[in-house]
Amino acid sequence: MDRELLKGSTPLLLLSLLCEGPMYGYQIIETVRQRTGGTYTLKEGALYPALHKLEATEFITSYWETQENGRERRYYSLLPAGQAFLAAKKKEWNQFVNMVQAFVEPKA
Amino acid sequence: MDRELLKGSTPLLLLSLLCEGPMYGYQIIETVRQRTGGTYTLKEGALYPALHKLEATEFITSYWETQENGRERRYYSLLPAGQAFLAAKKKEWNQFVNMVQAFVEPKA
DNA sequence: TCAGTGTGCATCGCAAAGCGAGGTCCGTCA
DNA sequence: TGACGGACCTCGCTTTGCGATGCACACTGA
């Protein structure tokens, strides 16, 4: 899969996932890998910076949660502002897809 | 429109356009601008490097054509290898769209 | 006991691509 | 003569994903 295509889609993906509920980093990676049947493996080097940026802009928050075995996980969850942003992103995404589609499949 | 989304789509767009026939740079920009109703204005700084790269990899060729008024235009046209590449890119594009769509619109 | 594996977080330097800005040349028309 | 638009192109910046790397801890099995 061409990496370049993914470039702008990571925030959309993350927000969409978090819209279903809070998740932690490793879980996000695993979820994406499983849902795509392995064709898309989100890398840590892409995930964490994106997550931190989303947090810095207050679209998501994070909190640490201790598991029964004593280990910690950092959960990320969607904020209201993030929901609004997600909605806008979705719209943009649809526009984008339709646009490219119009060039790829000219005429109807 | 988020620039980042466009990142990987430029070659696909260019090849798709050239699949309809030879075009010159300025014409490509105008065509894209018009077809998208102005929402997407392909910039020269994005177009020419992409075009040159496509030419370097022998997916397209270029030739100069002199107009009646004496001015020159550089036309780009699709090569067979470019057609094959386009087909592959289209496939990849569809895969990509379906993947993201699955996250954006979970469940059916 | 201790190495290996899996979980889980994170950063760093690199490469690629679009962008904004700038630059050049030339024909046309006022 | 000078402004405008067509037409080509490059350069440096920023952003982003990637690969590599690092750290820390729990569990398992030799």
Side-chain angles (χ1 to χ4, degrees):
Chain A
M1 173 80 66
D2 186 358
R3 336 108 64 76
E4 292 308 320
L5 276 180
L6 282 331
K7 286 255 164 134
S9 58
T10 308
L12 177 63
L13 233 78
L14 294 181
L15 292 172
S16 293
L17 273 175
L18 293 180
C19 191
E20 302 174 24
M23 297 182 82
Y24 58 95
Y26 195 86
Q27 185 185 12
I28 292 176
I29 292 177
E30 285 304 304
T31 304
V32 170
R33 206 176 51 77
Q34 280 174 29
R35 283 209 204 167
T36 61
T39 54
Y40 181 28
T41 303
L42 192 59
K43 304 299 168 18
E44 282 119 331
L47 174 68
Y48 289 110
L51 239 24
H52 297 336
K53 197 178 172 191
L54 248 20
E55 192 175 12
T57 48
E58 315 234 330
F59 289 144
I60 64 177
T61 337
S62 68
Y63 53 94
W64 290 90
E65 205 167 291
T66 308
Q67 302 176 71
E68 293 173 2
N69 62 16
R71 297 211 51 186
E72 289 198 301
R73 282 171 179 163
R74 185 169 186 176
Y75 280 85
Y76 294 90
S77 83
L78 199 60
L79 290 175
Q83 285 193 10
F85 186 62
L86 172 57
K89 273 284 174 196
K90 275 189 186 179
K91 215 168 178 177
E92 198 180 70
W93 166 255
N94 283 324
Q95 254 188 296
F96 168 65
V97 170
N98 288 331
M99 190 195 79
V100 177
Q101 212 73 38
F103 284 96
V104 172
E105 315 278 5
K107 292 290 291 297
Chain B
M1 172 81 67
D2 186 358
R3 338 107 64 79
E4 292 308 322
L5 276 179
L6 281 335
K7 286 257 165 136
S9 59
T10 308
L12 177 63
L13 233 78
L14 294 181
L15 293 172
S16 292
L17 272 175
L18 292 180
C19 193
E20 303 174 22
M23 295 181 84
Y24 57 96
Y26 195 86
Q27 184 186 12
I28 291 175
I29 291 176
E30 285 304 303
T31 303
V32 170
R33 205 175 52 74
Q34 280 174 29
R35 283 208 204 168
T36 61
T39 54
Y40 181 26
T41 304
L42 191 59
K43 304 298 168 20
E44 280 127 335
L47 173 68
Y48 290 109
L51 238 24
H52 296 337
K53 198 178 171 191
L54 246 23
E55 192 176 10
T57 46
E58 314 233 331
F59 289 145
I60 63 176
T61 338
S62 67
Y63 53 92
W64 290 91
E65 205 167 290
T66 308
Q67 302 175 72
E68 293 172 2
N69 62 17
R71 300 212 50 186
E72 288 196 303
R73 281 172 180 162
R74 185 172 186 175
Y75 280 86
Y76 294 88
S77 84
L78 198 61
L79 291 175
Q83 285 194 9
F85 186 62
L86 172 58
K89 274 284 172 194
K90 277 190 187 180
K91 215 168 180 175
E92 199 180 70
W93 166 254
N94 284 323
Q95 253 188 295
F96 168 64
V97 170
N98 288 331
M99 190 196 79
V100 177
Q101 210 72 37
F103 285 96
V104 172
E105 316 278 5
K107 292 290 294 297

